[in-house]
Amino acid sequence: MLPNMVGQLARESILNPIGFVDAHTEGEPTRIIVDGGPDLGSGSIKERVTRFRENADDFRQCVILEPRGYDAVVGALLCEPTDPTCAAGVIFFNNAGYLGMCGHGAIGVAVALHYLGKIGIGKHRLETIVGVVEFELLESNRVAIQNVPSYRLHRDIEVEVEELGTVVGDVAWGGNWFFLVGSSPARLTLDNVDSLSRAAGRVRKALQQNGITGANGDEIDHVEFFDKPFSTDAHSRNFVYCPGGEYDRSPCGTGTSAKLACLAADGKLQPEETWVQESIIGSRFTATYERLDENNVVPTIVGTAFVCSEGRLIRQPHDPFMHGIRSEHSPTSEGISL
């Protein structure tokens, strides 16, 4: 058999290739799926993510897990919006499951849509699981995201944590549920990522064991430690522990939104006053908020994203790791409740 015929047969044996654009927002990666995704039918984004979870979760794992991805990647499946005023619909997911909203991911999607020639400089809308998010593409790589309404549910919750003792934090919503701790168990540097991750994991476990949840019993799947910034023009530095056990390289858009809600509730930050949130790698978001009502604020998060690569992910039917490398130790959280 001729070599070119062998190659043609090999190519014909692959499943539908997955077209993607990879971007990073302030260091945190997003893999945007532009074609080759599962057929999720019609209906709301919530209905489609339910079908995704129940019928096509192998696709999520293929995109995110090794050997095609890695645990820090957040996936963003582009889909048709139900709201015709939106530039796109998007379903965010990671190594543990599905996300309600993803601030860094939304910024990455905005920059990718511009890179693909889908949108121009100016204001646009993005349909997500938790609602429509407005954003403004300020420049080719700089985006202002107006997040979903955010609020603090509980203040100064005490929880006993293994090896840490009593930990005090706030429970707040910024598109995902957070437990925000005002002091860190270790200096917020990359050298301490492992110890910070272990500490945050223990905090999350203690929250679960003590029945401390978000609204409607939703799991608090993000833990955020804060400390003084390294830069003189920033207000705070953070470490964000994500549902699948990875840390956020960016300052976390939904986590910064939750932080703004707490600052607003305490009267420590006024509407339209700027808050500069620094991440553990030194990248930053600039944030402000508008007050929606007595309990809710609408945060605006400004950050930069850059396209890193684009291409196709290949799945061959005889590949034993076509759906990623999974083990009994893989994260089992299903993310948001629908």
Side-chain angles (χ1 to χ4, degrees):
M1 187 176 291
L2 296 175
N4 62 341
M5 187 177 296
V6 174
Q8 180 180 349
L9 289 174
R11 287 191 294 274
E12 288 176 351
S13 72
I14 67 174
L15 300 180
N16 191 28
I18 302 168
F20 72 91
V21 172
D22 278 352
H24 81 82
T25 304
E26 305 296 351
E28 179 74 356
T30 308
R31 173 159 287 171
I32 300 104
I33 306 303
V34 297
D35 59 62
D39 182 1
L40 302 177
S42 59
S44 70
I45 299 293
K46 275 191 176 184
E47 290 170 332
R48 281 180 273 178
V49 78
T50 297
R51 297 188 198 110
F52 198 165
R53 174 186 286 170
E54 294 177 350
N55 304 321
D57 196 56
D58 282 347
F59 181 90
R60 173 188 66 82
Q61 297 177 69
C62 167
V63 167
I64 296 298
L65 301 182
E66 296 179 19
R68 294 167 187 82
Y70 56 102
D71 281 347
V73 176
V74 169
L77 175 66
L78 296 184
C79 51
E80 285 296 319
T82 59
D83 185 335
T85 68
C86 291
V90 62
I91 297 172
F92 293 113
F93 52 93
N94 65 4
N95 63 334
Y98 300 86
L99 302 169
M101 170 55 186
C102 180
H104 95 267
I107 292 172
V109 165
V111 166
L113 288 172
H114 179 65
Y115 171 80
L116 294 168
K118 304 292 186 182
I119 62 171
I121 303 297
K123 294 183 178 181
H124 305 275
R125 289 157 59 87
L126 193 65
E127 192 171 345
T128 76
I129 299 170
V130 296
V132 171
V133 172
E134 297 187 354
F135 69 90
E136 183 174 3
L137 186 67
L138 303 170
E139 303 168 7
S140 295
N141 299 101
R142 192 160 180 81
V143 182
I145 296 288
Q146 188 178 84
N147 198 10
V148 296
S150 304
Y151 66 96
R152 181 171 67 189
L153 182 66
H154 299 301
R155 180 178 186 270
D156 289 346
I157 295 294
E158 294 187 0
V159 60
E160 291 299 317
V161 180
E162 180 185 356
E163 295 189 15
L164 299 179
T166 303
V167 174
V168 181
D170 290 355
V171 176
W173 169 260
N176 295 295
W177 283 108
F178 287 82
F179 191 70
L180 302 96
V181 182
S183 60
S184 176
R187 193 165 185 261
L188 297 184
T189 65
L190 287 176
D191 291 341
N192 289 329
V193 162
D194 288 345
S195 62
L196 288 165
S197 296
R198 285 193 297 271
R202 292 190 184 104
V203 170
R204 190 167 68 190
K205 182 178 180 181
L207 294 172
Q208 294 167 347
Q209 291 175 337
N210 286 275
I212 300 169
T213 70
N216 304 313
D218 286 352
E219 179 187 2
I220 301 170
D221 54 6
H222 291 72
V223 175
E224 191 166 6
F225 296 136
F226 292 90
D227 211 334
K228 294 179 180 179
F230 289 10
S231 301
T232 56
D233 59 344
H235 296 91
S236 174
R237 190 177 181 95
N238 69 4
F239 171 84
V240 180
Y241 185 69
C242 300
E246 273 292 332
Y247 72 96
D248 199 327
R249 279 71 170 164
S250 82
C252 186
T254 56
T256 299
S257 297
K259 178 67 173 180
L260 293 185
C262 295
L263 291 167
D266 288 334
K268 294 181 178 179
L269 189 72
Q270 300 305 310
E272 304 302 332
E273 187 178 354
T274 298
W275 180 267
V276 178
Q277 184 62 59
E278 186 180 77
S279 77
I280 193 169
I281 69 168
S283 58
R284 58 178 58 194
F285 286 149
T286 300
T288 59
Y289 76 87
E290 297 177 4
R291 185 166 290 284
L292 184 62
D293 55 37
E294 184 178 353
N295 298 314
N296 292 271
V297 301
V298 178
T300 296
I301 309 294
V302 180
T304 56
F306 297 88
V307 170
C308 304
S309 62
E310 62 179 320
R312 299 190 305 165
L313 300 178
I314 303 300
R315 297 170 292 170
Q316 292 184 297
H318 53 277
D319 180 356
F321 302 115
M322 180 174 65
H323 302 306
I325 299 173
R326 295 173 283 187
S327 75
E328 60 183 354
H329 303 296
S330 296
T332 58
S333 168
E334 294 188 344
I336 61 167
S337 59
L338 301 176

